[in-house]
């Protein structure tokens, strides 16, 4: 019963969240363009009901499942009994190795399965004219996200200020940009934003907050955030690096006609 | 997909009684693609469930607390996300994509930029991941005592955060559209943005830095990416001499950068 009441209240809240977008789209359609919408009003309203209902259910489920999952995993993996510390001993950052492994695994697996990334990888393959393969790019980005999230958890445990890591990441991106081909740059920058999906973001956020709450001496507000930020910078680095490596390989294959196999097989993979 | 949603010829439909037609519209008609959507959200969740299951069974080897609640919650997440995406595909997406194309064709710079701004704002306010993370940030800030720990205090903080991010995304998309029109290279603007973020970081309070950096990655997902990509690709197809594959991208990059800047400023102001 309590759950039903909670769902009802959340649904009311989502009405307010969707309203600006709905009003906006209708305003532009009716007032500015003065044109009948391509979609029928009935479809539009049924779709609207679905959107509001779905968003509400999603938010309730998020609070019931995804946030607790992330926090419970963080709590269990940092539990002194699990770490098998000697009585009275203080854990050092290497004791939390399973946390980093878990973070890396979540980052890799969710990114490999991310539909938005598949779309970007397809486009990247066609922009590059075959030097970039779809699967190669997806693995590169997944490794990037995985490294980003894992590094983020190391940062939370050790308490290194987030901005130093982000700035180092930005520096690498800037240097890579100077050497990257102009076609791949916008795509690489976009890949940072699209790799973190609606389901992954809350889980990863909860993992970070749970870690900061359980590791002694960390503040949730100062140390708990930043996993998503790192998971957004590292894919940019990974895509630029992958594009550069595959270009260099294709270039080398072209210069040495004795062994052209590599560049060609790469192209096939991409298609 | 569209064909599946509209299986009957219209003549047959008109003959059916009203309540049957109504049921068809609300429930039966979208049922088939809907099952596919549920499977799609299951695919989003599957890697998470698999990794957690492996860790629970092989590494932690302890019973998971509140497992029933989690399972029900995950079912809600799947059903909710499927309904949400289905609803978007029925109404907002085709409408928004149509608008994006109309505005890129219309030729009025003012309306185009205004539309870009409004689209960025509107989609961001409705973005589920942002709603969730803003609430969580408010709860965290309240627990630490950075803001007043009451329902209204937390709601005000989350609201301020979300609308700051929405404004920033709107501005980012507008800038990105302007860039596409002018043909400026995307990297100089982004690198400029990075430098600005670094400078602001030194003046911003420590509590906001993590939230600000995260807000960049949170904003661009389910609603924003498809609509904004439609705008970018529509624009660069319209302008002569532009390659949609190259010039259409880069909008999301701006939409991920400007929120960091504005949330840092938000943290300095409040």
């Amino acid at each position: 019963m309590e759950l039903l009441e909670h769902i009802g209240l959340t649904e009311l809240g989502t009405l307010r969240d969707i309203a600006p977008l709905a009003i906006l789209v209708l305003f532009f359609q009716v007032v500015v363009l003065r044109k009948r919408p391509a979609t029928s009003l009935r479809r539009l309203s049924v779709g609207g009901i679905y959107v509001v209902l779905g968003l509400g259910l999603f938010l309730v489920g998020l609070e019931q499942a995804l946030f607790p999952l992330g926090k419970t995993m963080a709590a269990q993996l940092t539990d002194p009994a699990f770490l098998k510390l000697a009585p009275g001993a203080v854990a050092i950052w290497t004791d939390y190795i399973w946390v980093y492994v878990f973070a890396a695994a979540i980052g890799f697996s969710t990114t490999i399965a991310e539909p938005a990334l598949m779309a970007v990888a397809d486009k990247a393959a066609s922009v590059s004219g075959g030097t970039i393969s779809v699967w190669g790019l997806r693995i590169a980005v997944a490794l990037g996200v995985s490294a980003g999230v894992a590094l983020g958890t190391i940062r939370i445990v050790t308490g290194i200020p987030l901005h130093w890591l982000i700035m180092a990441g930005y520096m690498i991106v800037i240097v890579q940009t100077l050497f990257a081909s102009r076609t791949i740059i916008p795509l690489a920058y976009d890949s940072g934003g699209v790799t973190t999906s609606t389901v992954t973001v809350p889980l990863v956020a909860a993992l970070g907050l749970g870690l900061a709450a359980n590791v002694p001496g960390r503040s949730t507000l100062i140390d708990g955030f930043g996993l998503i930020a790192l998971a957004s910078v590292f894919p940019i680095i990974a895509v630029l690096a992958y594009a550069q490596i595959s270009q260099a390989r294709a270039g080398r294959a072209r210069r040495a006609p004795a062994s052209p196999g590599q560049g060609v097989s790469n192209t096939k993979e991409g298609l | 997909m569209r064909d599946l949603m509209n299986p009957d010829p219209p003549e047959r439909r008109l003959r059916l009684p009203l309540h049957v037609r109504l049921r068809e519209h609300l429930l039966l008609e979208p049922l088939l693609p809907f099952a596919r959507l549920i499977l799609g959200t299951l695919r989003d969740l599957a890697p998470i469930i698999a990794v957690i299951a492996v860790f629970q069974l092989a590494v932690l080897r302890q019973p998971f607390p509140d497992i029933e609640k989690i399972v029900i919650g995950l079912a809600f997440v799947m059903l909710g996300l499927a309904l949400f995406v289905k609803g978007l595909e029925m109404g907002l997406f085709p409408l928004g994509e149509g608008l994006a194309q109309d505005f890129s064709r219309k030729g009025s710079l003012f309306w185009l930029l205004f539309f870009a701004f409004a689209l960025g704002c509107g989609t961001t306010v409705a973005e589920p991941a942002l709603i969730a993370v803003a609430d969580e940030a408010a709860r965290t800030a309240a627990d630490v005592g950075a803001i007043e720990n009451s329902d209204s205090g937390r709601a005000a903080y989350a609201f301020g955060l979300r609308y700051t991010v929405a404004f920033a995304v709107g501005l980012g998309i507008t800038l990105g559209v302007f860039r596409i029109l002018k043909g400026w290279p995307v990297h100089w603007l982004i690198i400029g943005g990075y430098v600005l973020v670094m400078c602001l970081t030194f003046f911003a309070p420590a509590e906001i830095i993590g939230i600000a950096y995260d807000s960049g990655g949170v904003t661009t997902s389910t609603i924003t990416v498809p609509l904004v990509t439609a705008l970018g690709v529509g624009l660069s197809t319209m302008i002569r001499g532009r390659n949609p594959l190259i010039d259409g991208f880069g909008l999301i990059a701006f939409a991920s950068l400007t929120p960091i800047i504005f949330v840092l400023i938000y943290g300095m102001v409040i």
Side-chain angles (χ1 to χ4, degrees), chain A residues 18-236:
Chain A
I18 297 294
L21 185 58
I23 292 171
L24 238 148
V25 167
L26 288 179
F27 168 78
F28 279 104
Q29 189 76 55
V30 177
V31 180
V32 183
L33 287 178
R34 291 197 197 137
K35 195 172 114 176
R36 280 191 63 78
T39 328
S40 75
L41 199 64
R42 198 182 49 210
R43 272 186 88 74
L44 210 61
S45 35
V46 174
I49 295 171
Y50 283 170
V51 166
V52 171
L53 258 167
L55 184 57
L57 274 180
F58 174 77
L59 290 175
V60 171
L62 205 78
E63 229 168 276
Q64 293 259 314
L66 282 178
F67 277 136
L69 264 181
K71 287 193 174 162
T72 311
M73 286 307 290
Q76 288 188 339
L77 288 168
T78 52
D79 186 10
F82 170 72
L83 297 175
K84 297 195 182 65
L85 294 176
V90 179
I92 55 167
W93 71 276
T94 46
D95 289 330
Y96 293 104
I97 180 83
W98 282 114
V99 174
Y100 318 142
V101 176
F102 178 71
I106 284 284
F108 188 86
S109 62
T110 52
T111 311
I112 274 287
E114 173 62 40
L117 178 61
M118 293 180 203
V120 170
D122 280 339
K123 296 216 174 82
S126 45
V127 167
S128 72
T131 45
I132 292 175
S133 83
V134 172
W135 263 102
L137 188 78
R138 275 172 71 186
I139 291 175
V141 175
L143 285 176
V145 172
S146 151
V149 183
L151 197 67
T153 50
I154 296 179
R155 179 200 83 79
I156 292 175
V157 168
T158 54
I160 301 168
L162 174 66
H163 53 271
W164 294 121
L165 284 180
I166 296 283
M167 283 180 193
Y170 283 171
M171 284 299 173
I172 298 174
V173 170
I174 291 174
V175 172
Q176 280 179 313
T177 302
L178 297 178
F179 296 100
S181 79
R182 203 180 154 278
T183 49
I184 198 72
I185 293 172
L187 240 156
Y189 286 177
D190 270 7
S191 72
V194 299
T195 45
T196 41
S197 81
T198 310
V199 181
T200 316
V201 161
L203 182 85
V204 167
L207 180 72
L209 289 170
L211 260 184
N214 285 297
V215 174
R218 292 289 159 267
S219 143
T220 43
L221 194 53
I222 294 177
D223 300 303
F225 293 93
L227 291 184
I228 299 162
L230 286 164
S232 312
V233 175
F234 274 66
I236 306 180

Side-chain angles (χ1 to χ4, degrees), chain A residues 17 24-25 28 33 35 47 50 54 61-62 65 71 73 76 102 123 166 170 190 193 196 198-199 209 220 226 228-229, chain B residues 26 45 55-56 60 70 73 77 80 87 95 99 102-103 118 131-132 136 140 162 194 213-214 217 220 222 249-250 252-253:
Chain A
D17 298 326
L24 238 148
V25 167
F28 279 104
L33 287 178
K35 195 172 114 176
Y50 283 170
L62 205 78
K71 287 193 174 162
M73 286 307 290
Q76 288 188 339
F102 178 71
K123 296 216 174 82
I166 296 283
Y170 283 171
D190 270 7
T196 41
T198 310
V199 181
L209 289 170
T220 43
I228 299 162
Chain B
L26 292 177
L45 275 175
F55 265 75
Q56 289 294 334
L60 286 160
I70 303 256
V77 167
L95 205 62
L99 279 177
D102 283 346
F103 273 104
I131 300 176
E136 197 60 14
T140 312
R162 273 174 54 208
Y194 283 169
Y213 283 8
D214 271 1
T220 43
T222 318
F249 284 92
I252 302 292

Side-chain angles (χ1 to χ4, degrees), chain B residues 201-270:
Chain B
T201 300
F202 287 106
F203 301 104
E207 308 87 59
I208 202 72
I209 291 174
I211 298 175
Y213 283 8
D214 271 1
S215 65
V218 169
T219 45
T220 43
S221 36
T222 318
I223 311 187
T224 316
V225 171
L227 284 182
V228 165
T229 308
L231 182 63
V233 173
L235 261 178
S236 44
T237 322
M238 289 307 147
I239 305 170
R240 208 187 309 200
R242 294 293 156 75
N243 178 352
L245 282 173
I246 301 172
D247 292 291
F249 284 92
L251 286 178
I252 302 292
F254 285 106
S256 316
L257 186 63
T258 45
I260 307 184
I261 296 169
F262 278 83
V263 175
L264 284 173
I265 296 173
Y266 175 71
M268 285 190 265
V269 173
I270 60 159

